[in-house]
Amino acid sequence: MFAKKNHRLIAGILLLVLVMIGVSGYRYESKRTPEYAMQALLTGIAERDEKTIARYADIDAIAASAYDESTAILARDIEALHAMYPQDWFFCHDTAFMEQYIAERRTQDLALMQHAWSLFLQPDAIVSNADDMDDAAFVAKEAQDIVPHYKAELLTVTPEKDGARASALVEITGDASAYGQLVPKMQLKLTLLRQPDGQYRVVRIANVAENFAPVVKGIEDYCTMKGIQ
């Protein structure tokens, strides 16, 4: 049971990373610049406009790369994580076990994340009875509660010289509430690629590794807050 909850929390944090980007806006004139793509994406997420989000962000690619990078770190550093969080049964394994476990769950976990994202964009579809919620509904419902406690600021957008790609830096800050202090502050470095039509699209979170430790701490603090551990 606990392992199942931990997986839905990992998926939830990755979902929140995508959602929290959208609490601030930015405006530029040209539609074929990475700055415009970021502004449109931020606005689309804030308004839960699925069509706009899909145009300016490859959510499946972002989720898959973040999942693969974070779970690779999880497997590699499992012994260190167990030393830091000995109360967490999920960390009481070795690297070989975790690599096999993650490989077996990857397709299922990514499908869960995709479903949770869809439910977040359509909150009326989430059942109100907690006993009837599946994992995706649980993640989406928790996102509804947590996201309002964060704000995001787009710090920079930097095109590369060849114009084929760009990077954006977004800073996310939590408020003084218990939810807002789960991950008090973090920065996301986003990679954008220019598409055949000249538009830019976010395809990857480029700094998963540097955010891994604070996100894991946020998960552990969330478990403590909710009485899971």
Side-chain angles (χ1 to χ4, degrees):
M1 182 63 176
F2 181 72
K4 183 178 180 182
K5 287 183 178 179
N6 225 321
H7 267 284
R8 50 163 86 156
L9 291 173
I10 291 173
I13 289 295
L14 293 173
L15 171 68
L16 294 179
V17 163
L18 301 178
V19 172
M20 286 188 289
I21 301 170
V23 299
S24 69
Y26 225 69
R27 187 164 297 280
Y28 288 81
E29 293 302 321
S30 176
K31 291 186 177 182
R32 287 183 170 78
T33 64
E35 293 90 348
Y36 180 88
M38 282 302 304
Q39 179 272 323
L41 175 60
L42 298 175
T43 301
I45 297 176
E47 296 176 354
R48 302 188 190 183
D49 181 341
E50 192 166 4
K51 184 177 180 180
T52 297
I53 294 167
R55 180 169 180 79
Y56 293 104
D58 187 339
I59 298 298
D60 289 345
I62 295 168
S65 63
Y67 181 89
D68 289 342
E69 290 182 55
S70 60
T71 52
I73 297 169
L74 170 65
R76 183 195 69 196
D77 296 347
I78 192 69
E79 293 183 7
L81 290 166
H82 176 58
M84 293 177 65
Y85 305 107
Q87 78 282 5
D88 191 336
W89 172 89
F90 191 67
F91 297 142
C92 296
H93 300 96
D94 61 19
T95 295
F97 174 89
M98 290 306 302
E99 288 176 342
Q100 179 179 352
Y101 184 69
I102 291 164
E104 291 172 351
R105 287 196 56 95
R106 182 180 185 275
T107 299
Q108 178 183 343
D109 285 345
L110 291 176
L112 182 154
M113 293 167 65
Q114 184 181 51
H115 187 200
W117 175 253
S118 179
L119 287 174
F120 181 84
L121 296 178
Q122 304 174 51
D124 291 343
I126 302 174
V127 297
S128 57
N129 187 347
D131 293 336
D132 295 331
M133 287 185 182
D134 60 13
D135 285 357
F138 172 86
V139 168
K141 175 61 171 62
E142 290 301 294
Q144 300 285 341
D145 294 339
I146 295 173
V147 166
H149 296 280
Y150 289 84
K151 65 178 182 178
E153 180 183 1
L154 181 59
L155 300 181
T156 61
V157 180
T158 307
E160 292 194 0
K161 289 183 179 180
D162 63 3
R165 65 174 59 214
S167 61
L169 184 64
V170 178
E171 184 168 82
I172 298 171
T173 306
D175 62 20
S177 69
Y179 279 144
Q181 291 303 296
L182 289 174
V183 183
K185 183 171 287 190
M186 67 188 300
Q187 291 188 344
L188 298 180
K189 297 176 183 177
L190 307 177
T191 300
L192 299 89
L193 293 182
R194 189 174 60 188
Q195 305 302 299
D197 65 358
Q199 303 278 6
Y200 283 81
R201 198 177 189 211
V202 177
V203 297
R204 180 172 176 262
I205 299 171
N207 62 333
V208 169
E210 74 179 53
N211 286 316
F212 181 81
V215 167
V216 169
K217 183 179 184 303
I219 294 172
E220 294 298 318
D221 290 346
Y222 175 94
C223 290
T224 300
M225 181 194 310
K226 295 292 185 176
I228 296 173
Q229 298 184 40

